[in-house]
Amino acid sequence: MIYTYSLIAIIGICLIIFLLLIFQRRREDEKKRKEIELLTAKSQLDSVRDNLNRLRKNLYEVENRFNDDRFYHNAKKEELIQLVKKLKEVEEERDNLKKTIEEGAVDEKALNLLENRYKLIQGQLEEMGDKAKELQDEVTRREQSAKENEQKFKLLGTQISQTERELEQQKEIVKIKETRTRD
């Protein structure tokens, strides 16, 4: 009978030790799982930070292009305005010459000079017209580019706001997982 009680006691002690080992093993597995979750959360946090930094870099690049486009748009627009003013002056001079030539109140030699001057002015007008068209195309292109960059700027601003919120959420998740891992 003593042997039976001793045997039962030994089996009980072994069972308790076995259960303690199982619980210890489960605790270790749970701790490893929590550590893995923490590492995953930290990795996701780093990924969100990298994405945020990339978005901010893109935002600054787009902002610089936007500002450059606006500056060049305004500069080329002003240059175009000055060219148009000069073009009007040259057109007025051409019209005056044409009127003088049509009136025919001058001698043959003066008429030849006026006709030559008229041809020169007409050539100038064509050159200025071509330059004005090029400037207008540049102004239009810069204006379109500025609008596109402004839209990209706004979109990136929205994406950055969303990513910042996501970053804050990810920070909270990491804090929670760190707390759970310590417990």
Side-chain angles (χ1 to χ4, degrees):
M1 183 101 132
I2 291 182
Y3 293 115
T4 309
Y5 290 126
S6 297
L7 188 59
I8 291 174
I10 291 174
I11 291 174
I13 291 172
C14 288
L15 186 59
I16 290 172
I17 292 172
F18 180 72
L19 289 174
L20 287 174
L21 288 174
I22 289 175
F23 287 133
Q24 180 65 26
R25 176 75 173 164
R26 283 188 181 167
R27 258 192 252 134
E28 288 175 3
D29 288 346
E30 184 67 21
K31 186 175 181 180
K32 284 181 184 178
R33 186 185 61 76
K34 287 178 182 178
E35 287 173 355
I36 290 172
E37 287 177 356
L38 176 61
L39 291 174
T40 302
K42 284 182 178 180
S43 173
Q44 289 172 344
L45 178 62
D46 290 340
S47 174
V48 171
R49 279 187 181 136
D50 290 343
N51 187 32
L52 182 59
N53 290 336
R54 182 184 53 78
L55 287 172
R56 284 183 177 151
K57 180 183 174 193
N58 288 345
L59 179 75
Y60 297 138
E61 289 172 359
V62 167
E63 182 179 29
N64 287 338
R65 284 194 309 262
F66 173 64
N67 289 334
D68 287 347
D69 285 341
R70 262 193 343 199
F71 172 77
Y72 286 116
H73 170 264
N74 291 338
K76 293 295 181 180
K77 190 174 181 180
E78 183 60 34
E79 188 178 338
L80 180 62
I81 290 169
Q82 295 305 318
L83 183 63
V84 167
K85 287 179 182 178
K86 188 173 180 184
L87 189 63
K88 285 183 182 181
E89 290 172 4
V90 173
E91 283 177 342
E92 286 176 8
E93 185 180 349
R94 179 196 64 187
D95 292 343
N96 288 339
L97 281 173
K98 187 176 182 180
K99 183 179 175 185
T100 306
I101 291 171
E102 288 174 355
E103 289 175 356
V106 292
D107 64 357
E108 188 68 30
K109 189 175 182 182
L111 185 64
N112 283 338
L113 287 173
L114 289 175
E115 286 176 350
N116 287 338
R117 177 78 179 140
Y118 181 79
K119 288 177 186 176
L120 285 173
I121 290 175
Q122 193 64 31
Q124 271 185 327
L125 284 173
E126 288 175 9
E127 287 177 19
M128 292 172 78
D130 291 342
K131 183 164 175 126
K133 182 166 178 17
E134 288 175 15
L135 281 173
Q136 182 61 49
D137 291 344
E138 179 70 13
V139 166
T140 303
R141 188 180 68 74
R142 289 292 183 161
E143 183 178 27
Q144 183 63 31
S145 181
K147 286 179 183 178
E148 289 171 4
N149 285 327
E150 184 178 23
Q151 289 174 347
K152 287 178 187 177
F153 184 80
K154 288 177 182 177
L155 178 65
L156 284 169
T158 303
Q159 289 176 343
I160 285 173
S161 296
Q162 291 171 345
T163 305
E164 286 173 341
R165 285 192 297 274
E166 186 179 337
L167 181 67
E168 291 303 316
Q169 290 172 348
Q170 201 62 39
K171 284 179 181 178
E172 290 299 318
I173 290 171
V174 168
K175 285 180 186 176
I176 291 168
K177 301 234 183 223
E178 284 176 340
T179 304
R180 287 183 182 169
T181 303
R182 284 187 225 131
D183 294 339

